[in-house]
Amino acid sequence: MEIVNNPFTSLTYVEEWMKYFQKGKSQFTIRPFNGIAFTKKNKLLPLYLNAGKYKSCGISYTIEAEDDSKDYRGKVFLIYDIPSYIKPNEQNQALGIRKSNQYQGYGIRLKEFESLDDYLRLTLSSRTRKSIRSNIRKLERNFDLNYLWYTNRITTQDFSLVFKRFYELIDLKYKNVSFSHADPEVKGWYRSLFFKLINDGKAAFFIVKNKDEMIAISFLYLSDNMCFSAITGNSMDYQQFGLGNLLMVKKIEWAILNGYEYYDLGKGSYNYKQSWSNHIYDFEYHVLYDKSDLLSSIFGKMIYLFYEMKQKLRLLKHKVSPY
């Protein structure tokens, strides 16, 4: 599988991330890597990190098989969050590579389905389908619902209104809970990034309204062939009617109708992801290093072992005793 025109390696995404989180630092394009930008960890270490680090929903890149530039000499590269369904299409023999599985991801292969009904029939049990459809009918019968998509274009005025309500909903959803979206710097980054990506055709807002009130807003990243679920804010007043299931149904239906091949639900093992997905994968961290340089080789392998140990401790922490 390939992410065609990946939004997380786009010029807009990289520039906005550098502006908000790497002030004063430079970005680098380093051969033999294609489709990815790097930043340097610090002045002392020969370590380069992918621009965006772990804030993306899925990094992709390719490696040239042959390269005369020698840009990689003496360097180590750490690339976060590559979905295991993405494979660099060439391997340069001068680079060593170690891959460490860090998190589980969930997604929906859409290519095999011709319609929403086809997907629901082949993925969910008849009892679950009946319950979801019943709840959606209740919602649409009891409330004056309408659905709105912003893709390819959104005005500054419309964006300001949607973004303001979007943050009101997610603040209420995560009330009294610490979460990264609340950070003022992250919020500022989102405001600038989301507006530009929507107008670049690389993102979308999906909105559910009850009359004129926005009761749920989902933000999705878009490549040419894939949708990436990002953040959803929704009113708790409608949860008893299964608003979350309505959102999933409407987004999956839109993705199928618009020819998307894959709907990525992202990292984290939650019940709704297990219920809706038909594909489980791993998010990998890739450590690449100059094999001809002893220090780079040692340093690269040390970083790989660090993340392998970190993952083992994470799994041990979450291991549940059967007794």
Side-chain angles (χ1 to χ4, degrees):
M1 203 181 309
E2 180 185 3
I3 305 175
V4 182
N5 287 329
N6 190 332
F8 308 111
T9 56
S10 68
L11 181 62
T12 296
Y13 191 95
V14 171
E15 286 182 346
E16 290 298 308
W17 185 78
M18 293 293 297
K19 182 169 69 176
Y20 280 87
F21 301 108
Q22 298 289 298
K23 296 180 179 69
K25 290 189 176 182
S26 300
Q27 60 170 290
F28 304 90
T29 54
I30 300 175
R31 295 177 64 183
F33 297 94
N34 287 322
I36 188 169
F38 292 96
T39 61
K40 200 169 188 294
K41 174 70 173 176
N42 56 47
K43 293 181 179 179
L44 298 177
L45 297 175
L47 178 60
Y48 291 77
L49 312 175
N50 64 286
K53 293 178 67 177
Y54 43 75
K55 288 186 177 293
S56 79
C57 297
I59 291 293
S60 59
Y61 67 96
T62 60
I63 305 173
E64 297 174 22
E66 301 292 337
D67 177 66
D68 297 327
S69 68
K70 311 302 182 186
D71 287 353
Y72 62 86
R73 284 288 177 87
K75 297 181 177 69
V76 177
F77 307 93
L78 173 58
I79 306 175
Y80 294 87
D81 288 347
I82 303 96
S84 57
Y85 57 75
I86 300 298
K87 308 293 181 186
N89 63 0
E90 292 289 352
Q91 182 64 55
N92 189 301
Q93 296 302 312
L95 287 171
I97 181 169
R98 301 291 178 98
K99 301 178 182 180
S100 178
N101 294 340
Q102 290 295 302
Y103 301 97
Q104 205 163 60
Y106 292 80
I108 305 171
R109 290 190 175 106
L110 298 173
K111 197 173 182 179
E112 58 201 77
F113 305 113
E114 294 182 358
S115 66
L116 174 66
D117 286 341
D118 192 25
Y119 163 78
L120 294 174
R121 179 175 55 83
L122 294 172
T123 307
L124 306 179
S125 68
S126 59
R127 182 177 179 180
T128 302
R129 294 197 305 271
K130 184 177 179 180
S131 174
I132 289 171
R133 284 173 171 145
S134 174
N135 285 333
I136 290 176
R137 283 195 297 270
K138 287 179 184 177
L139 268 167
E140 294 182 333
R141 184 171 62 246
N142 293 329
F143 304 100
D144 184 12
L145 297 188
N146 55 87
Y147 310 105
L148 177 64
W149 283 91
Y150 281 105
T151 60
N152 297 308
R153 184 178 182 274
I154 187 169
T155 65
T156 304
Q157 183 178 10
D158 286 345
F159 180 83
S160 296
L161 291 172
V162 173
F163 191 82
K164 180 176 182 293
R165 179 56 176 164
F166 178 62
Y167 252 85
E168 289 173 354
L169 289 170
I170 61 176
D171 283 342
L172 288 170
K173 182 177 178 180
Y174 295 102
K175 189 177 181 181
N176 300 322
V177 177
S178 177
F179 68 111
S180 62
H181 309 312
D183 185 289
E185 193 172 34
V186 171
K187 184 176 179 179
W189 176 56
Y190 282 159
R191 183 185 289 109
S192 182
L193 177 69
F194 289 2
F195 177 75
K196 291 181 179 180
L197 284 182
I198 290 173
N199 283 294
D200 285 349
K202 294 184 181 297
F205 268 135
F206 171 56
I207 302 165
V208 180
K209 286 186 173 183
N210 177 24
K211 295 182 180 177
D212 292 328
E213 180 190 14
M214 290 181 272
I215 63 171
I217 304 173
S218 285
F219 181 79
L220 300 90
Y221 294 100
L222 305 174
S223 76
D224 288 359
N225 61 330
M226 300 173 66
C227 304
F228 299 84
S229 180
I231 315 164
T232 293
N234 47 276
S235 172
M236 298 295 104
D237 295 338
Y238 300 81
Q239 287 303 96
Q240 60 181 316
F241 297 96
L243 181 58
N245 284 333
L246 179 142
L247 285 164
M248 286 296 298
V249 165
K250 295 298 180 182
K251 287 185 285 187
I252 292 169
E253 181 179 39
W254 179 84
I256 292 173
L257 289 173
N258 284 275
Y260 288 97
E261 299 174 1
Y262 195 83
Y263 181 25
D264 197 308
L265 300 177
K267 69 178 69 169
S269 182
Y270 299 97
N271 289 336
Y272 82 93
K273 293 184 183 183
Q274 295 172 14
S275 299
W276 288 95
S277 67
N278 60 13
H279 180 224
I280 301 174
Y281 62 91
D282 291 306
F283 277 97
E284 301 172 345
Y285 287 6
H286 289 190
V287 182
L288 300 102
Y289 50 88
D290 176 10
K291 289 197 297 187
S292 68
D293 184 80
L294 180 60
L295 290 178
S296 297
S297 296
I298 293 172
F299 188 35
K301 291 171 184 176
M302 287 175 61
I303 293 172
Y304 164 75
L305 290 173
F306 168 78
Y307 282 107
E308 284 289 284
M309 182 59 68
K310 190 174 182 179
Q311 172 66 347
K312 285 182 172 63
L313 292 173
R314 188 185 295 123
L315 292 174
L316 187 63
K317 181 180 178 181
H318 290 92
K319 187 177 181 181
V320 178
S321 171
Y323 303 104

